[in-house]
């Protein structure tokens, strides 16, 4: 079996020739440069050498020259197989060194095998090229060889310069893309050193490369809470290991709460893309989108609540209208019963007079008169008790009707500047006789500018809150409690707080306390509309009514009303 030594510094070229030659029945040896090939040939002489020209350590020209100068190797046929030295001068130099053929890559397998068989056949018949010494003198060979190398190196340098220029342009374009990308981007190396932050990253989070030179410094600043930082870093590390194993994008969580340099918190989506030994991190700030979603949800809830309140209002208006007429009729008949009861009392007086003037009457008559008197007294007493309960029931129904009307009709007409401190004093003077026996009153008024509102409606809210405070103290069973009225303001709002030391509100009732018809009072003690009406009134003034309560320790209801812009400016200047 004939042996062939193939020489090339590119592994793919060696593999292609090795497979081709072995497939055609040759014994094949390989070498990655001329020096290794020369050593291999001197150890075991091949039947043919096929060599590339441009190689490290020793190129093909020098290998050919060394082989032709060696008495043991000079008769071995030599084929140059090259893709870099392709000019006529390169071929002339190769043949002058004693090469048998100069073949340009690539060749079809059939054509290449034909050349190989032809060279081997010529070698067996004794038709070989003259040695280098016979073809050209040493000086000429050296000049031709130097010229060939110079031309090739010059070409390679030009190709390298062009490649470097393209690489620099690509790097510059990539860096420009990163810097100007409309999303915050960071790039770190395998050791966690941050190599690049684009402009939008610094604009969004405030951190500069000096603030976060490493990924660890980013973790410390962006996630200052140790527990949250440990949670986020653990998720990130797990996701990163999976991506390095299976490929893909690092995204362990839907969103992160990132703390900026100024202390604000942004809601961010974070994606990591491993690129060789670098990590490209892209951050998508979704804070405004989340806020818009929350506002949209709150708006939808508000609209649903408004529709719900409107529906309840329509029902309430109908109920109030339907109840109002029969209540008047019932009340009229009750008053008529009262008059008849009074007449029964007059009959008792007549019977007593008859008993005194007709002393001669028989014992039977006197006993009958006494029994009549007793029956009339019993009937009068029972009717009076029944009438009292009826009047209380009617009064409660009238209260419900009034509250229903108030629930339906609370328009925002007659808005004008109101002194809230004076409004509180006015309501206190009206209801004080009702609550002074159960509570001590304390007032802590602040300096509040006039608030533009409907005085009558705000007074209605204050009265409801103060009466509720008194009832809460009375319900607790304390002999004496405390009610505190506080007022104050900030740059944008005025506040009124009504606190009590009463029974408080159970936690499960706090989120229902302002719902229409919901009440924590005993059956028959409230309509469940007072706080709902109060909350709606304050909302229509642009404010809100909130509650803070501890069961068994008391409650605080706080009214917030917006100040007029002029007053807001005054407070800021102060």
């Amino acid at each position: 079996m004939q042996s062939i030594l193939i020489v090339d510094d590119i592994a793919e070229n060696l593999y292609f020739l090795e497979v081709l030659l072995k497939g055609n029945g040759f014994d094949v040896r390989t070498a990655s440069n001329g020096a290794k090939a020369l050593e291999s040939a001197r150890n075991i002489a091949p039947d043919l050498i096929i060599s590339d020209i441009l190689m490290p350590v020793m190129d093909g020209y020098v290998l050919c020259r060394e082989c032709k100068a060696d008495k043991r190797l000079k008769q071995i046929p030599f084929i140059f197989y090259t893709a870099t030295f392709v000019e006529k001068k390169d071929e002339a130099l190769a043949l002058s060194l004693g090469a048998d053929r100069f073949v340009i890559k690539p060749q079809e397998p059939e054509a290449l095998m034909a050349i190989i068989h032809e060279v081997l056949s010529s070698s067996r018949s004794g038709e070989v090229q003259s040695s280098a010494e016979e073809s050209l003198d040493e000086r000429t060979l050296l000049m031709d060889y130097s010229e060939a190398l110079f031309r090739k190196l010059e070409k390679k340098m030009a190709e390298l310069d062009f490649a470097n220029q393209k690489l620099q342009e690509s790097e510059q374009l990539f860096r420009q893309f990163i810097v100007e990308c409309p999303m915050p981007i960071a790039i770190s190396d395998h050791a966690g050193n941050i190599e690049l932050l684009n402009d939008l990253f610094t604009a969004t989070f405030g951190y500069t490369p000096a603030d976060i030179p490493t990924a660890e410094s980013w973790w410390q600043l962006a996630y200052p809470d140790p527990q949250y930082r440990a949670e986020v870093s653990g998720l990130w590390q797990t996701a990163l290991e999976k991506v390095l194993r299976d490929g893909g994008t690092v995204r362990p969580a839907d969103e992160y709460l990132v703390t900026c340099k100024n202390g604000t918190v942004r809601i961010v989506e974070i994606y990591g893309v491993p690129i060789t030994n670098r990590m490209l991190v892209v951050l998508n700030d979704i804070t405004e989108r989340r806020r818009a979603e929350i506002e949209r949800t709150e708006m939808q809830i508000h609209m649903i609540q408004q529709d719900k309140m409107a529906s309840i209002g329509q029902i309430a208006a109908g109920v109030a209208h339907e109840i109002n007429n029969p209540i008047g009729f019932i009340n009229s008949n009750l008053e008529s019963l009262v008059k008849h009861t009074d007449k029964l009392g007059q009959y008792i007086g007549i019977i007593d007079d008859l008993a005194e003037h007709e002393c001669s009457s028989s014992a039977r008559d006197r006993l009958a008169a006494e029994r009549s008197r007793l029956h009339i007294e019993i009937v009068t007493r029972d009717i009076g008790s029944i009438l009292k309960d009826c009047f209380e029931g009617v009064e409660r129904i009238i209260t419900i009707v009034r509250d229903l009307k108030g629930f339906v009709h609370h328009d925002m007409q007659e808005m004008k500047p109101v002194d809230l401190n004076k409004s509180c004093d006015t309501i206190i003077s009206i209801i004080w006789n009702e609550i002074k026996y159960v509570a001590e009153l304390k007032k802590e008024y602040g300096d509040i500018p006039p608030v533009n509102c409907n005085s009558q409606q705000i007074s209605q809210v204050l009265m409801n809150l103060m009466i509720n405070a008194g009832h809460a103290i009375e319900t607790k069973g304390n002999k004496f409690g405390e009610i505190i009225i506080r007022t104050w303001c900030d740059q944008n709002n005025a506040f009124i707080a009504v606190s009590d030391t009463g029974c408080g509100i159970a936690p499960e009732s706090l989120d229902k306390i302002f719902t229409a018809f919901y009440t924590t009072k005993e059956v028959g003690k409230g309509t469940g509309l007072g706080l709902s009406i109060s909350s709606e009134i304050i909302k229509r003034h642009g404010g809100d009514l909130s509650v803070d309560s501890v069961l068994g320790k008391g409650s605080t209801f706080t009214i917030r009303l917006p100040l007029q812009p002029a007053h807001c400016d005054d407070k800021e200047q102060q």
Side-chain angles (χ1 to χ4, degrees):
M1 181 183 294
Q2 290 181 301
S3 66
I4 299 178
L5 174 62
I6 53 178
V7 191
D8 202 312
D9 62 331
I10 299 176
E12 290 81 359
N13 294 342
L14 285 176
Y15 177 76
F16 167 74
L17 284 176
E18 184 178 8
V19 170
L20 178 64
L21 293 172
K22 284 184 177 180
N24 281 272
F26 291 100
D27 178 39
V28 180
R29 302 202 311 269
T30 63
S32 60
N33 59 62
K36 290 182 178 180
L38 184 61
E39 181 182 0
S40 176
R42 283 172 176 172
N43 288 334
I44 302 175
D47 295 304
L48 174 65
I49 298 174
I50 302 175
S51 177
D52 190 19
I53 295 178
L54 189 62
M55 295 180 292
V57 184
M58 179 186 289
D59 61 34
Y61 283 145
V62 176
L63 172 63
C64 182
R65 183 182 177 193
E66 291 294 326
C67 288
K68 296 305 179 182
D70 191 311
K71 292 181 180 180
R72 296 177 55 241
L73 306 176
K74 63 187 299 183
Q75 297 303 323
I76 298 174
F78 198 105
I79 297 176
F80 279 112
Y81 191 43
T82 180
T84 53
F85 289 78
V86 295
E87 297 181 11
K88 287 295 183 181
K89 291 183 178 181
D90 300 326
E91 182 179 4
L93 176 60
L95 296 176
S96 68
L97 290 171
D100 295 87
R101 285 296 179 88
F102 188 89
V103 182
I104 303 298
K105 296 178 183 176
Q107 291 287 327
E108 292 294 332
E110 295 81 3
L112 182 59
M113 290 308 304
I115 294 172
I116 291 172
H117 285 300
E118 181 184 347
V119 170
L120 286 172
S121 177
S122 298
S123 173
R124 286 193 296 271
S125 63
E127 300 176 7
V128 295
Q129 294 288 337
S130 301
S131 66
E133 289 84 355
E134 296 172 344
S135 55
L136 289 173
D137 61 67
E138 186 75 15
R139 183 183 180 119
T140 303
L141 281 174
L142 181 61
M143 289 179 63
D144 291 345
Y145 173 70
S146 299
E147 182 184 354
L149 284 182
F150 180 79
R151 281 188 286 103
K152 189 50 59 181
L153 289 175
E154 188 177 49
K155 182 180 179 182
K156 283 293 182 183
M157 288 298 296
E159 292 174 353
L160 184 60
D161 288 342
F162 180 77
N164 285 335
Q165 182 181 353
K166 289 298 182 182
L167 179 61
Q168 289 177 0
E169 291 175 356
S170 297
E171 289 180 350
Q172 185 177 1
L173 183 63
F174 175 73
R175 180 173 289 271
Q176 184 178 359
F177 168 78
I178 294 296
V179 169
E180 297 181 4
C181 180
M183 295 181 72
I185 291 179
I187 298 177
S188 62
D189 63 16
H190 69 283
N193 299 308
I194 294 180
E195 298 180 335
L196 184 145
L197 300 176
N198 70 349
D199 295 342
L200 192 57
F201 186 101
T202 300
T204 302
F205 305 108
Y207 299 118
T208 65
D211 297 320
I212 47 174
T214 64
E216 181 60 30
S217 58
W218 162 256
W219 288 110
Q220 296 291 331
L221 293 174
Y223 311 103
D225 178 63
Q227 183 175 355
Y228 184 60
R229 180 168 62 247
E231 177 186 345
V232 171
S233 61
L235 291 172
W236 181 269
Q237 187 62 33
T238 301
L240 176 59
E241 291 173 359
K242 183 178 184 302
V243 168
L244 292 177
R245 182 179 65 252
D246 304 329
T249 300
V250 184
R251 192 191 178 194
D254 291 334
E255 57 189 45
Y256 301 82
L257 300 178
V258 173
T259 300
C260 302
K261 189 173 182 178
N262 62 4
T264 60
V265 176
R266 312 292 297 178
I267 304 173
V268 181
E269 293 176 335
I270 302 180
Y271 305 85
V273 182
I275 302 176
T276 61
N277 60 343
R278 297 288 189 274
M279 174 63 75
L280 174 67
V281 179
V282 181
L283 303 94
N284 183 24
D285 184 6
I286 60 173
T287 307
E288 300 307 322
R289 188 175 78 194
R290 284 287 180 268
R291 286 177 181 169
E293 290 173 355
I294 292 171
E295 289 177 359
R296 184 168 62 250
T297 301
E298 290 178 348
M299 180 66 71
Q300 290 173 346
I301 293 173
H302 179 68
M303 292 176 66
I304 292 171
Q305 184 66 19
Q306 281 187 329
D307 291 342
K308 180 179 177 182
M309 296 298 287
S311 298
I312 294 174
Q314 291 175 357
I315 295 172
V319 171
H321 177 74
E322 293 299 325
I323 289 177
N324 200 44
N325 290 333
I327 282 300
F329 175 75
I330 292 171
N331 197 45
S332 174
N333 281 280
L334 286 174
E335 289 175 355
S336 178
L337 277 175
V338 170
K339 292 178 181 179
H340 288 298
T341 303
D342 291 341
K343 289 181 179 180
L344 286 175
Q346 294 174 8
Y347 294 153
I348 293 174
I350 294 171
I351 291 172
D352 289 341
D353 291 342
L354 289 173
E356 290 178 2
H357 289 89
E358 297 182 9
C359 297
S360 60
S361 298
S362 65
R364 179 187 294 179
D365 293 335
R366 288 197 299 272
L367 180 59
E370 184 65 26
R371 287 178 176 175
S372 297
R373 182 181 185 280
L374 181 60
H375 288 318
I376 292 173
E377 283 182 349
I378 293 171
V379 171
T380 303
R381 184 188 63 206
D382 291 345
I383 291 176
S385 176
I386 293 171
L387 287 174
K388 179 177 179 296
D389 292 341
C390 288
F391 274 118
E392 288 179 355
V394 168
E395 182 62 30
R396 171 163 169 71
I397 293 174
I398 291 172
T399 301
I400 292 173
V401 171
R402 184 181 64 245
D403 285 350
L404 285 172
K405 288 181 177 180
F407 184 77
V408 177
H409 305 292
H410 43 270
D411 55 44
M412 300 301 297
Q413 296 177 358
E414 298 183 3
M415 298 281 285
K416 61 183 179 181
V418 174
D419 186 329
L420 295 181
N421 290 339
K422 287 185 178 180
S423 294
C424 290
D425 284 336
T426 299
I427 299 305
I428 290 170
S429 66
I430 293 173
I431 67 168
W432 184 238
N433 285 334
E434 183 177 343
I435 63 175
K436 67 181 180 182
Y437 299 107
V438 297
E440 177 185 356
L441 181 67
K442 289 185 179 180
K443 297 188 295 185
E444 299 176 3
Y445 291 169
D447 182 16
I448 304 178
V451 177
N452 197 46
C453 62
N454 184 298
S455 176
Q456 182 179 356
Q457 293 179 355
I458 296 300
S459 296
Q460 179 183 348
V461 174
L462 291 172
M463 180 178 292
N464 184 59
L465 295 181
M466 291 183 193
I467 291 176
N468 283 353
H471 288 168
I473 292 172
E474 191 175 7
T475 301
K476 187 177 181 182
N478 290 356
K479 289 185 178 180
F480 215 64
E482 186 176 79
I483 297 175
I484 303 174
I485 313 296
R486 295 185 298 118
T487 64
W488 74 95
C489 69
D490 60 17
Q491 292 183 351
N492 301 306
N493 302 284
F495 299 89
I496 307 172
V498 179
S499 303
D500 64 70
T501 57
C503 59
I505 303 170
E508 61 270 17
S509 296
L510 282 176
D511 59 345
K512 307 173 187 174
I513 201 69
F514 298 112
T515 304
F517 303 110
Y518 181 83
T519 179
T520 59
K521 297 177 182 178
E522 300 176 11
V523 176
K525 294 294 185 180
T527 64
L529 290 172
L531 287 176
S532 177
I533 293 171
S534 298
S535 176
E536 188 67 18
I537 287 173
I538 299 303
K539 283 181 181 178
R540 295 202 175 192
H541 279 80
D544 53 62
L545 176 60
S546 59
V547 61
D548 182 21
S549 183
V550 177
L551 189 63
K553 294 186 177 181
S555 305
T556 297
F557 285 84
T558 303
I559 300 169
R560 180 188 65 82
L561 293 169
L563 294 173
Q564 293 298 98
H567 295 311
C568 296
D569 296 340
D570 293 341
K571 296 300 292 184
E572 290 177 359
Q573 292 172 4
Q574 291 174 6

